[in-house]
Structure formats: structure tokens, C-alpha cells
Amino acid sequence: MNITKTAAAILGGLILTTSAPVAAFAQGTPAAASAAALDGKPVRGQGGVLLGHVERVIRRADGTPAQVLVRPKGPPTAGPRSLAIGALKVEGDGRVAPLSLAEFNAMPAVAVN
């Protein structure tokens, strides 16, 4: 089993072990609401070049956003790239990552189930 599948299995286990009241509370927090607002937003890199769009927001156990999966622009690829939410800066309607297009494209794709 590769590292991506192992990480997905661990994340799935954490999600399943979270109690229902905690999960319900987390969905109602402002951080969780702002994370949902990120879906579909553009992510730009250095020089304003479009890297892709937010496909999914990965949350911590308390519901706060931790990472975003960004689907690269252009033809379909192996999968989205994972970026730490703390590395993204708010700019207009989207986010800006401290990466060039070449650096972003060189990142490994994340397997999404």
C-alpha cells in the first residue's frame, strides 16, 4: 500500500472515530463555514498565474481547515495537489500560493477516493 492510501486510511479512521456531537458542532463553526466557501475558488501562484481551483477542503478533527486540494487547470491530470491552508494568502475572491507554476506542477498528485 502506498503512502497516499495509508494516509487516506488513517484520515478515514480519524473521521469515523469522531463522535457525532463534536462533528455537528464543528460544522457550525465560522472556520468550517469559511472552509466551505473555499470550494471552487481560484488559486494563483507567483506572478498571478492560475494554478487551479479548490476541489476539497481537508479539516482537522475540530473542524478547522488544514489543507486544500487544488485541481490543476487544463486537461485532466492524475489528481489534485495538496496545499497547506496556512500557506495561502487571501487575494480578491481567491487565494495565492507561494509557488511558481512549474513548482506546483512538479508536486505529487493526491489520490482522492
Side-chain angles (χ1 to χ4, degrees):
M1 188 172 353
N2 65 27
I3 293 173
T4 305
K5 289 182 182 177
T6 303
I10 292 170
L11 180 60
L14 289 173
I15 291 170
L16 291 175
T17 59
T18 303
S19 64
V22 173
F25 172 76
Q27 291 173 356
T29 63
S34 66
L38 285 173
D39 288 338
K41 297 294 182 189
V43 178
R44 299 193 176 280
Q46 294 174 347
V49 64
L50 180 65
L51 300 177
H53 291 85
V54 175
E55 182 173 286
R56 184 186 296 175
V57 179
I58 306 297
R59 294 177 175 85
R60 295 180 183 93
D62 66 358
T64 60
Q67 294 182 333
V68 291
L69 299 182
V70 178
R71 175 68 61 181
K73 70 171 188 141
T77 61
R81 309 314 196 261
S82 178
L83 299 174
I85 197 126
L88 302 177
K89 295 180 183 173
V90 178
E91 185 175 286
D93 190 34
R95 301 294 184 267
V96 176
L99 299 169
S100 68
L101 181 59
E103 291 169 329
F104 179 75
N105 287 336
M107 293 175 67
V110 178
V112 179
N113 294 331

